Amino acid sequence: GHALLTVVVAPAGHLALGDAALAEHMRGVDVVVSCLGHNLSFKGMYGAPRMLCVETCRRVCDVARLMRPPSPIRLIVVSTEGVSRPDGADPPRSLAERLVIGLLWLLLPPMADNVRVVDYLHHEARANEHVEFCAPRPSDMRDGEACAFATHSTLQNGLFNAGATTRANVGEFMADLVTEPA
């Protein structure tokens, strides 16, 4: 119900919108936030669209390029601790972590989708002058009230030693990314 928030309902799915329709929804927009994820059901994990998250990012970036906004659209995409930075800046993962992540990538299309989002943003969207992006990777999200938290440019804990944060903290951080110019 906030005056600066627009929720778009696309019964056939937002990926079915043509570029013109998506551009119309994005016109005048400063920020696009994607909290997309696959439903935790067999159909949600193995059915179409298998690359929901990366295709959404690609479409938003392509439409931003076509629109040529006066200032870049900020694209915020929630990622996961299981995705490493493509530039290698994260601390090395243990062999056990690499094996688990590899198995998840191989067996669960949503994991491969999450990895491809960050790869796309790093390799493709970075060259798009009409988009700036951020892909927060929250630690083990839990329900609960907001509390003190810190942000870091690299992973701080491994999968087996994940820190914990609340959904309220993630929401607060993302709201700051939307509203704070810096």
Side-chain angles (χ1 to χ4, degrees):
H2 194 281
L4 297 177
L5 174 69
T6 302
V7 177
V8 177
V9 178
H14 66 281
L15 292 177
L17 293 174
D19 285 351
L22 187 55
E24 194 55 40
H25 291 302
M26 288 174 55
R27 193 165 319 287
V29 165
D30 297 320
V31 182
V32 173
V33 178
S34 175
C35 299
L36 289 173
H38 297 259
N39 290 328
L40 295 178
S41 66
F42 187 82
K43 182 181 177 192
M45 301 225 303
Y46 295 100
R50 290 176 71 101
M51 295 296 128
L52 169 71
C53 301
V54 73
E55 287 306 316
T56 298
C57 288
R58 181 173 292 138
R59 294 278 318 282
V60 167
C61 291
D62 288 349
V63 168
R65 186 179 283 118
L66 292 171
M67 291 173 50
R68 302 172 126 5
S71 58
I73 292 173
R74 287 183 278 166
L75 173 60
I76 304 166
V77 182
V78 176
S79 189
T80 175
E81 231 176 6
V83 176
S84 297
R85 284 181 50 162
D87 64 3
D90 285 334
R93 294 185 183 266
S94 69
L95 176 61
E97 266 188 288
R98 291 192 317 265
L99 286 171
V100 168
I101 290 170
L103 282 172
L104 291 172
W105 183 87
L106 188 63
L107 299 173
L108 296 175
M111 180 64 180
D113 191 14
N114 285 328
V115 170
R116 286 185 177 119
V117 165
V118 173
D119 283 344
Y120 173 79
L121 292 172
H122 182 77
H123 296 293
E124 303 293 330
R126 171 176 270 175
N128 184 341
E129 65 187 89
H130 303 292
V131 175
E132 295 175 345
F133 64 87
C134 180
R137 300 175 291 174
S139 297
D140 195 16
M141 282 196 296
R142 300 175 185 184
D143 290 331
E145 298 297 317
C147 55
F149 67 92
T151 60
H152 307 277
S153 61
T154 62
L155 290 176
Q156 300 300 297
N157 303 306
L159 287 180
F160 305 123
N161 185 27
T165 191
T166 65
R167 285 177 176 80
N169 286 358
V170 175
E172 180 181 328
F173 177 67
M174 292 184 65
D176 286 348
L177 287 173
V178 170
T179 59
E180 299 296 327

